Amino acid sequence: MKRTLLLCSLLLLIAPHARAQQAGAAKPADAKTEPVKPAPTSYPAPAATSTPAAPAASPSVVAPTPAAAAVLTEASVAPMSGRAATVPAEKSAPIRVPRFEKAPAIDGKLDDEVWKSAVVLKDFYQISPGDNIAPSKPTEVLMGYDARFLYFAFRATDEPDKVRATVAKRDDVFGEDNIRVYLDTFNDQRRAYLLGFNPLGVQQDGIYTEGQGTDFSVDIVMESKGMITPDGYTVEVAIPFKSLRYTAGKDKLWGIHVWRNIDRFNDEMDSWVPISRDKSSTLNQEAHLTGLEGISTERTLELIPSFTVSETGKRSRSFRPVTLGEPLAADPGRMLNRPVEFDPGLTAKWGITPTVTLDLALNPDFAQVEADATVNTANQRFPIFFEEKRPFFLEGIDIFRTIMSVVHTRTIVDPDVAAKLSGKRGKTTFGLLVASDNAPGNFGEEELNDRQLEFVTRPDPALRRDGQLQFQSFLDRVVGKNSTVGVLRVKRDVGKENAIGLIATTSSFVDRNNYLGGFDGRFRFDKVTTLEFQVVGTNARRCALGLTEDGDECATLNGLGYAYSFNQDRRHTNFNVNGAGRTEGFRSDVGFTRRRNTNNHNLNFGYHTEPKPKATVVSWETYHYFGGNFDWQGRMQNWTYEGQAGANLQRQTFIRAGYNTGYERVFAFEFGEPAFASGRDEHSVASKNVFAYAGSTPSKKYSFFYFFGYRWGEHDFDFGAGPRFPRVSPSAIASREAREAGLCDTDDRPSACLGPLDPGRGNLLYTNGDFTYKPTNALNASLSVSKNRLTRNDTGLVAFDSNIVSLRTTYQFTRFTFARARVDYSSLSSNFRGQFLLGWTPNPGTAFYAGYNDDLNRSFFNPFTSQLEPGFRRNGRTFFVKMSYLIRKSFGE
């Protein structure tokens, strides 16, 4: 057995597709190979490029003189050679930022006299696709500060008619020309603000965490303007110090990167400092700022009152709930308009110090302005992950994120009150989150009616009377009650780039509670090798929340979970070993858990050639993984091998093709069954899979991506896919035939009507694609389609055919005013969802939205009668107006 377990642990699982592999990450153990769009010309992150020799021409840090603001020309770019060894002395020394006596006007023109006293950064290096070679176009950056703001100005030389820039929505500028600034305000080489600006000054902001990537859901208040000029474009930026968390003062250093992205040159990235591809970190190659002294020590209070006015219509039951003794009648349902709802809320933020922030939310409006993407739900064994989008929870969310996702704030659905204290003191980062969530006890009228009907329509009058009493007990014990959620996170910096941390979560509701605690760490052993790990333990009390307290069934569950990831990212290769495991008793009510009673281990390897920026084939790359799962009893659950290879071409074009083979084994007890229809307690399938995908961005007006895959040996779990696609296994077919023959009404063959689960082998076609079109700077339209079709081998019938189409169109009247239309269609339910929105968002916190959402079905089954209804049927619709306003007041010097 020990040898078997060792072999299993060495073999196993399902690792990432292209982009995840490049990041050194892996998919969850039970994930399938899905179409994933990789980054075109996907060289090791521009955090990995080599260090060139010092430029021989003018120094790259220019002292404040009137000449410093002159426009660069191609001739002024210093000669550079790739893969040199040292950073120039003028770039390794800290940049002393001058203090401005007068604030510049942020209008994008760079004509203020004060810019002549700024420090100037020039002589950039092309770090991707080139390896620290001369950039295609020169760039100049000017910096200064005063007591309240840090100022940047960017002068990017280019041909104005070829600059790629649109009036994009906020946080959507990295698909065109842009400037990016990393600000490591604690100089700890672990976390930095990433601030981006397109040539028209549209902003994108996020938090970059070493080893985790960038979270662009964070919004900070700042001012920026940009404009296209005869020799390229210019951008001016003012960043309030009170919008940042930082340490500053005499001799304090900030880390900084400044990058320019030229989209049409194969997504060219230029950096002020050379970046070594022989190092796997971005922030440990940063330059440094100094001289930020005399900053006003302001404590900032932000208040965002908000309210939403909405009117909702919903298809509901036509009849009132039955009372004792009343007969049931067919209920076709009808559209009912609910009363107009007024929902006020308040969020507040108090900057206790420049490093510590307190956030508070009272009845926050967490209605999402943009709905989650429509996804395929057929044949899914495990939960589907959706990203957090709500501003209150996004503040400081990187502090709570760990390798195991034990904190997923979307589990807090509708809090009446929530508070969060987060920040950093010295080498200790901390976060405390508490919330009172009314969602678990907030049952809608229709749901309560369904529960009542279940207990008051029993044939026996005595049972009906008991049912009414039980239902009243349920109302008293559960309905209207809140759950309490708490999260504590502490992380300590160790050495230069290492960290260890502790995390604890708690959740309680009526007779259910859950406690989780554990530790984690991230260590860098050398310039290319890192290890990340986490171990947690859980305790949970689970009650069925029965209709009577005395009759409730409860159990206590204890669990263990772990995860690790070992990475080596070199110039041409990347290597990753990762794994995760959770016992059957593992429960994380505040986190996201996809699968329990499983151990998953993966081996990933990738190789890419040295890029040739001017060649037709810029580079080649290949990725491979091998891995799988086994449960805590030592039984194999699956294994998979996948290999893929392809080329990166000009115009951000990429082509990939791959092959996948594997094995999957399922057990009846995982589905709550003693045995499958075959009489066996397990079923297994071997699979083979081929796939290919490609994409391109030939111009700023359009781009496309397409993926195609076909798998021989996909598991049909025999769940069915709604009324349109009932179960098609031999067991299900026999059950339907028995019902049609009237055998279900007899006592001699009761098993003929049960139709136990009957998993089987099938063939799966899966494909998706998207096309984006930007005919003008203001209009952006995209169309995406996906298809998943599974056919059973034993019956020859289609288990499901899921087609999803999404059309999204946005028109930006200005940077802050837009109209958006979105229509999603899912063939499984013949469902059409439309969202139409008019918005004005001048800054984070201040917003106005007016919208209409519609939900219709066409030729589908009535949810109340289960009969097919021709034509269109409206399920619901909502008109809403949502407003919020940022009130920002500073106290102090």
Side-chain angles (χ1 to χ4, degrees):
M1 177 61 72
K2 291 183 178 179
R3 291 184 178 179
T4 302
L5 290 174
L6 179 60
L7 178 61
C8 292
S9 65
L10 290 175
L11 286 177
L12 311 165
L13 166 2
I14 297 176
H17 222 46
R19 181 179 292 169
Q21 290 167 322
Q22 294 156 14
K27 283 184 180 179
D30 45 325
K32 301 288 186 181
T33 298
E34 294 292 345
V36 178
K37 187 190 301 184
T41 56
S42 47
Y43 318 109
T49 313
S50 191
T51 310
S58 57
S60 58
V61 181
V62 181
T65 65
V71 177
L72 290 175
T73 64
E74 284 288 346
S76 68
V77 178
M80 305 177 190
S81 59
R83 304 186 62 172
T86 59
V87 179
E90 66 271 20
K91 297 193 177 187
S92 60
I95 306 162
R96 180 161 293 278
V97 184
R99 187 181 180 101
F100 285 172
E101 298 301 323
K102 181 180 179 182
I106 306 302
D107 54 15
K109 296 180 180 179
L110 273 68
D111 55 358
D112 297 270
E113 189 72 17
V114 69
W115 285 120
K116 295 181 179 179
S117 63
V119 65
V120 182
L121 311 183
K122 54 192 298 186
D123 296 336
F124 278 58
Y125 299 77
Q126 182 186 146
I127 60 173
S128 175
D131 185 5
N132 293 320
I133 63 175
S136 300
K137 302 291 181 180
T139 306
E140 184 182 67
V141 180
L142 294 80
M143 283 191 297
Y145 82 102
D146 59 25
R148 298 175 57 207
F149 294 90
L150 178 64
Y151 299 100
F152 286 93
F154 308 97
R155 182 177 286 112
T157 302
D158 208 339
E159 301 162 66
D161 59 333
K162 294 184 179 179
V163 172
R164 293 187 177 182
T166 62
V167 187
K169 67 178 182 179
R170 185 187 182 95
D171 286 344
D172 196 21
V173 306
F174 283 2
E176 51 194 30
D177 291 354
N178 60 82
I179 295 287
R180 310 180 189 188
V181 178
Y182 290 79
L183 288 178
D184 179 2
T185 55
F186 290 96
N187 192 35
D188 58 13
Q189 300 182 12
R190 292 165 173 84
R191 178 179 179 273
Y193 292 95
L194 176 52
L195 311 176
F197 311 92
N198 81 350
L200 301 180
V202 180
Q203 302 168 4
Q204 181 158 358
D205 46 6
I207 300 293
Y208 174 81
T209 303
E210 200 69 71
Q212 295 181 13
T214 307
D215 173 18
F216 287 113
S217 56
V218 178
D219 289 330
I220 72 169
V221 176
M222 55 184 170
E223 187 178 0
S224 62
K225 293 287 179 63
M227 60 188 302
I228 308 296
T229 65
D231 50 11
Y233 65 89
T234 55
V235 180
E236 285 181 301
V237 179
I239 304 170
F241 287 109
K242 64 185 178 183
S243 292
L244 307 174
R245 297 183 183 185
Y246 64 91
T247 58
K250 185 176 177 58
D251 299 326
K252 293 288 186 179
L253 298 179
W254 285 14
I256 184 173
H257 274 303
V258 183
W259 292 357
R260 177 187 176 184
N261 185 199
I262 308 177
D263 192 59
R264 72 183 185 278
F265 295 144
N266 291 315
D267 208 24
E268 176 181 323
M269 193 70 69
D270 303 332
S271 170
W272 182 67
V273 292
I275 302 294
S276 172
R277 293 181 181 175
D278 296 315
K279 296 181 180 180
S280 62
S281 173
T282 297
L283 298 184
N284 69 7
Q285 303 186 69
E286 62 194 9
H288 292 90
L289 302 178
T290 190
L292 298 176
E293 303 174 13
I295 296 174
S296 176
T297 306
E298 296 180 328
R299 291 176 294 174
T300 303
L301 174 65
E302 294 184 2
L303 298 176
I304 306 179
S306 67
F307 70 89
T308 302
V309 179
S310 62
E311 194 279 329
T312 300
K314 187 176 181 181
R315 192 177 181 93
S316 306
R317 295 185 182 279
S318 300
F319 309 135
R320 61 182 173 83
V322 298
T323 56
L324 294 179
E326 283 190 348
L328 290 175
D331 187 348
R334 61 173 177 167
M335 279 294 299
L336 292 177
N337 290 323
R338 307 289 175 88
V340 174
E341 294 185 0
F342 176 78
D343 189 16
L346 175 69
T347 58
K349 179 187 296 185
W350 173 239
I352 301 174
T353 71
T355 65
V356 180
T357 301
L358 174 65
D359 293 90
L360 177 68
L362 300 175
N363 190 34
D365 177 15
F366 282 160
Q368 291 179 200
V369 172
E370 185 171 354
D372 292 316
T374 303
V375 297
N376 173 45
T377 58
N379 210 42
Q380 296 287 336
R381 292 180 62 193
F382 306 107
I384 298 172
F385 183 85
F386 291 99
E387 290 284 354
E388 178 62 86
K389 297 180 179 180
R390 301 169 296 179
F392 172 82
F393 290 119
L394 294 175
E395 168 69 25
I397 197 171
D398 58 291
I399 296 173
F400 298 96
R401 283 183 169 151
T402 64
I403 190 173
M404 286 190 66
S405 296
V406 295
V407 176
H408 181 45
T409 50
R410 284 193 66 153
T411 58
I412 306 171
V413 179
D414 188 14
D416 289 329
V417 59
K420 179 169 50 179
L421 180 70
S422 59
K424 184 167 186 175
R425 296 298 297 251
K427 294 187 176 184
T428 302
T429 302
F430 61 89
L432 175 65
L433 169 66
V434 293
S436 178
D437 188 5
N438 67 23
N442 187 13
F443 293 83
E445 179 182 351
E446 217 168 282
E447 187 176 358
L448 288 176
N449 288 342
D450 289 340
R451 282 180 172 259
Q452 185 178 16
L453 283 171
E454 181 182 348
F455 289 93
V456 302
T457 57
R458 297 168 178 175
D460 188 318
L463 291 177
R464 287 202 300 269
R465 284 192 296 272
D466 288 344
Q468 188 67 49
L469 294 174
Q470 292 170 358
F471 180 72
Q472 186 59 49
S473 174
F474 176 76
L475 291 178
D476 295 338
R477 294 176 55 231
V478 177
V479 177
K481 301 298 189 294
N482 280 25
S483 69
T484 302
V485 176
V487 181
L488 174 65
R489 173 66 165 159
V490 180
K491 187 165 61 173
R492 178 76 175 178
D493 296 344
V494 178
K496 192 173 182 180
E497 295 182 58
N498 309 318
I500 57 173
L502 300 174
I503 193 162
T505 71
T506 178
S507 175
S508 62
F509 173 70
V510 189
D511 291 330
R512 295 185 175 190
N513 55 53
N514 174 232
Y515 304 98
L516 177 148
F519 61 93
D520 61 286
R522 185 175 190 272
F523 292 87
R524 175 174 294 279
F525 301 109
D526 55 40
K527 61 184 181 181
V528 298
T529 307
T530 59
L531 171 66
E532 189 173 2
F533 66 89
Q534 185 170 19
V535 179
V536 299
T538 67
N539 171 267
R541 175 179 168 83
R542 281 291 182 271
C543 295
L545 296 183
L547 294 182
T548 62
E549 187 170 3
D550 294 339
D552 217 347
E553 296 180 359
C554 299
T556 298
L557 303 171
N558 295 307
L560 173 70
Y562 69 89
Y564 66 90
S565 180
F566 178 82
N567 296 278
Q568 281 197 335
D569 294 318
R570 300 180 183 275
R571 171 176 291 272
H572 296 297
T573 62
N574 56 73
F575 173 80
N576 168 259
V577 178
N578 67 75
R582 296 173 177 86
T583 63
E584 177 60 38
F586 182 91
R587 296 294 186 275
S588 178
D589 292 353
V590 187
F592 178 81
T593 302
R594 184 164 170 82
R595 188 175 188 178
R596 293 187 293 269
N597 190 26
T598 190
N599 296 272
N600 153 234
H601 301 283
N602 312 285
L603 173 65
N604 304 268
F605 174 77
Y607 173 80
H608 47 270
T609 63
E610 191 76 16
K612 300 176 181 179
K614 302 299 183 181
T616 302
V617 178
V618 178
S619 68
W620 291 90
E621 57 187 56
T622 180
Y623 290 95
H624 304 266
Y625 74 78
F626 184 65
N629 290 38
F630 61 93
D631 64 22
W632 286 79
Q633 291 73 42
R635 293 171 295 203
M636 173 73 71
Q637 293 172 322
N638 60 59
W639 64 263
T640 301
Y641 163 76
E642 179 179 310
Q644 59 173 291
N648 299 305
L649 312 175
Q650 296 293 329
R651 295 176 178 260
Q652 299 183 57
T653 301
F654 56 90
I655 302 172
R656 304 283 188 277
Y659 173 77
N660 176 297
T661 183
Y663 168 84
E664 184 174 30
R665 181 185 184 195
V666 296
F667 300 93
F669 72 85
E670 295 180 284
F671 302 88
E673 300 276 356
F676 292 128
S678 62
R680 300 182 58 190
D681 62 358
E682 66 175 80
H683 190 273
S684 61
V685 164
S687 65
K688 295 181 180 179
N689 179 43
V690 294
F691 59 90
Y693 54 99
S696 183
T697 307
S699 79
K700 77 173 185 177
K701 288 190 174 182
Y702 57 90
S703 62
F704 72 88
F705 169 78
Y706 180 69
F707 180 102
F708 177 87
Y710 194 87
R711 179 179 292 119
W712 295 268
E714 174 75 3
H715 236 136
D716 173 33
F717 300 120
D718 198 24
F719 296 152
R724 178 150 291 173
F725 292 98
R727 295 165 54 197
V728 295
S729 66
S731 171
I733 293 173
S735 175
R736 283 198 293 271
E737 291 175 348
R739 287 196 297 271
E740 293 170 359
L743 298 178
C744 287
D745 297 327
T746 65
D747 295 330
D748 56 341
R749 295 193 59 196
S751 62
C753 305
L754 297 179
L757 286 179
D758 191 5
R761 176 188 172 95
N763 295 334
L764 176 69
L765 166 68
Y766 59 111
T767 182
N768 72 19
D770 61 62
F771 178 77
T772 300
Y773 183 50
K774 301 178 181 179
T776 70
N777 285 347
L779 180 61
N780 185 327
S782 66
L783 175 68
S784 62
V785 296
S786 71
K787 181 182 185 67
N788 291 264
R789 178 186 175 95
L790 175 61
T791 305
R792 292 266 305 210
N793 290 355
D794 48 15
T795 62
L797 299 176
V798 175
F800 63 86
D801 188 355
S802 172
N803 299 277
I804 296 174
V805 180
S806 296
L807 176 63
R808 293 170 294 242
T809 303
T810 301
Y811 190 87
Q812 294 280 160
F813 299 99
T814 68
R815 282 176 54 187
F816 309 122
T817 307
F818 65 88
R820 184 184 306 158
R822 172 175 171 173
V823 178
D824 297 300
Y825 168 73
S826 173
S827 66
L828 283 182
S829 56
S830 292
N831 181 250
F832 293 84
R833 292 179 183 268
Q835 184 182 65
F836 308 92
L837 186 69
L838 180 66
W840 176 65
T841 55
N843 60 56
T846 299
F848 173 86
Y849 300 102
Y852 171 69
N853 298 336
D854 212 340
D855 181 350
L856 304 99
N857 278 89
R858 182 180 183 276
S859 299
F860 202 62
F861 295 84
N862 186 302
F864 305 112
T865 65
S866 298
Q867 300 298 313
L868 184 66
E869 282 190 359
F872 280 95
R873 184 197 77 229
R874 176 169 278 112
N875 303 308
R877 61 188 175 193
T878 301
F879 296 91
F880 67 90
V881 173
K882 177 178 177 179
M883 298 182 233
S884 63
Y885 184 75
L886 171 64
I887 302 171
R888 208 176 200 210
K889 178 66 175 176
S890 297
F891 305 89
E893 298 179 8

